[in-house]
Amino acid sequence: MYITDKGEKVFVMDGHTHLWDARKDNRKNRYGSTFIETFWNGHTGMSPPENVWDLNRFEYYGAKAAEKDLFEKGYVDVAVMQPTYLYEFYNEGFNTVEQCSALKKLRPENVVLNGRIDPRDGKKGISKLESDFDKWKFKGVKLYTAEWRGESKGYKLSEPIVKPYLDKLVELGKIHKVESLNSFIICNNSNCASNTAFTICERCGKVKEIKNNNLTEGVNELVRENKLNITRYNLEFYVVCKTCKIN
């Protein structure tokens, strides 16, 4: 929590938090050196002199150091972990879910642990996603589309290899598909993988997930009255949002 000079309390969320291991014994090739040195050069060039770390210190950032910097010395209330594996550069990975989980264990109430997917992993990757979710119960996943993999220097979300992963994330309740738009949005609720409802603004196109007890009761009554067997539902309401009404 940050408190201003006027006594105002400001909730602080670090939405892109990393731990990492770029030490020499973990580097697979010269790209591992180039990757960490690029970030270190940015650090030394933009940080106040009293806050600059030497390269040896910068090469490894573990959970205990992050806990001290973020939550004890710093003002962070919630840190969102974003794993980035980079197995093409580092033997044991640069920043894995396993590494990130160490900070989650130290600060369970202050850390949001995310998973990671790479559609180029194929069916094995989907199985890994399922097992990782069972183990970590992470809130979301990171897709690092620029990560190198063999001859591949990245991928696009529009590629066919991505769809099975998006379908699996829908099944896990992490995202939802907006059928009429053929698009996906992040789940804002929990335990709603099967039954979803959205508003879609006809003017600006903004999609918003809604969760309304009256709506749920209405659907349940419809099911009872018509003796239906509904496996799931996906309701979409086209509206004019508040912002567009004003404008």
Side-chain angles (χ1 to χ4, degrees), residues 147-237:
E147 184 168 344
W148 289 13
R149 172 65 59 80
E151 295 297 319
S152 172
K153 298 299 185 287
Y155 62 93
K156 297 179 181 178
L157 293 181
S158 57
E159 294 182 27
I161 59 172
V162 178
K163 187 178 184 304
Y165 283 79
L166 296 178
D167 291 341
K168 178 56 65 174
L169 290 173
V170 170
E171 181 183 321
L172 295 176
K174 298 305 169 187
I175 63 174
H176 299 306
K177 185 174 184 180
V178 184
E179 299 288 349
S180 65
L181 301 178
N182 193 28
S183 62
F184 297 85
I185 67 168
I186 300 296
C187 176
N188 289 323
N189 301 303
S190 59
N191 301 320
C192 55
S194 299
N195 305 319
T196 55
F198 314 98
T199 58
I200 305 170
C201 181
E202 291 182 322
R203 295 183 183 176
C204 68
K206 182 179 180 180
V207 180
K208 182 179 180 181
E209 182 181 0
I210 56 176
K211 194 167 187 178
N212 184 286
N213 290 333
N214 292 331
L215 179 61
T216 302
E217 291 173 4
V219 173
N220 291 335
E221 184 177 349
L222 177 67
V223 171
R224 289 192 298 269
E225 289 181 353
N226 293 274
K227 298 181 179 179
L228 301 174
N229 182 19
I230 296 180
T231 57
R232 69 182 184 90
Y233 63 78
N234 187 34
L235 305 177
E236 300 178 12
F237 300 92

Side-chain angles (χ1 to χ4, degrees), residues 7-238:
E8 297 173 321
K9 294 182 178 180
V10 180
F11 183 86
V12 179
M13 174 178 283
D14 185 338
H16 200 133
T17 308
H18 288 294
L19 307 179
W20 63 83
D21 185 357
R23 291 173 291 190
K24 290 182 180 180
D25 59 354
N26 192 35
R27 296 177 200 162
K28 182 177 290 186
N29 47 45
R30 66 183 179 88
Y31 298 114
S33 299
T34 301
F35 188 83
I36 193 62
E37 287 173 5
T38 298
F39 284 101
W40 181 69
N41 287 331
H43 162 70
T44 57
M46 292 185 287
S47 300
E50 64 273 16
N51 292 329
V52 171
W53 298 356
D54 61 47
L55 182 57
N56 286 334
R57 179 184 178 188
F58 194 83
E59 287 175 348
Y60 177 77
Y61 193 54
K64 290 184 178 180
E67 180 187 31
K68 183 177 181 180
D69 291 339
L70 296 172
F71 306 117
E72 296 175 8
K73 295 171 61 178
Y75 305 102
V76 176
D77 295 288
V78 173
V80 183
M81 308 303 295
Q82 304 285 8
T84 307
Y85 280 26
L86 298 178
Y87 279 131
E88 290 294 308
F89 301 166
Y90 301 99
N91 297 310
E92 301 298 328
F94 179 72
N95 170 42
T96 65
V97 178
E98 184 83 33
Q99 290 170 300
C100 293
S101 69
L103 185 58
K104 175 70 173 177
K105 290 178 182 178
L106 290 176
R107 290 279 183 158
E109 301 301 320
N110 302 106
V111 173
V112 174
L113 181 64
N114 279 334
R116 167 263 190 193
I117 61 174
D118 188 329
R120 293 169 296 183
D121 291 334
K123 292 182 179 180
K124 290 183 179 179
I126 293 178
S127 297
K128 178 66 172 166
L129 171 60
E130 290 182 303
S131 62
D132 281 353
F133 179 72
D134 288 340
K135 181 177 182 179
W136 306 114
K137 302 299 181 186
F138 44 70
K139 296 294 184 181
V141 296
K142 178 177 179 177
L143 294 86
Y144 188 25
T145 58
E147 184 168 344
W148 289 13
R149 172 65 59 80
E151 295 297 319
S152 172
K153 298 299 185 287
Y155 62 93
K156 297 179 181 178
L157 293 181
S158 57
E159 294 182 27
I161 59 172
V162 178
K163 187 178 184 304
Y165 283 79
L166 296 178
D167 291 341
K168 178 56 65 174
L169 290 173
V170 170
E171 181 183 321
L172 295 176
K174 298 305 169 187
I175 63 174
H176 299 306
K177 185 174 184 180
V178 184
E179 299 288 349
S180 65
L181 301 178
N182 193 28
S183 62
F184 297 85
I185 67 168
I186 300 296
C187 176
N188 289 323
N189 301 303
S190 59
N191 301 320
C192 55
S194 299
N195 305 319
T196 55
F198 314 98
T199 58
I200 305 170
C201 181
E202 291 182 322
R203 295 183 183 176
C204 68
K206 182 179 180 180
V207 180
K208 182 179 180 181
E209 182 181 0
I210 56 176
K211 194 167 187 178
N212 184 286
N213 290 333
N214 292 331
L215 179 61
T216 302
E217 291 173 4
V219 173
N220 291 335
E221 184 177 349
L222 177 67
V223 171
R224 289 192 298 269
E225 289 181 353
N226 293 274
K227 298 181 179 179
L228 301 174
N229 182 19
I230 296 180
T231 57
R232 69 182 184 90
Y233 63 78
N234 187 34
L235 305 177
E236 300 178 12
F237 300 92
Y238 277 83

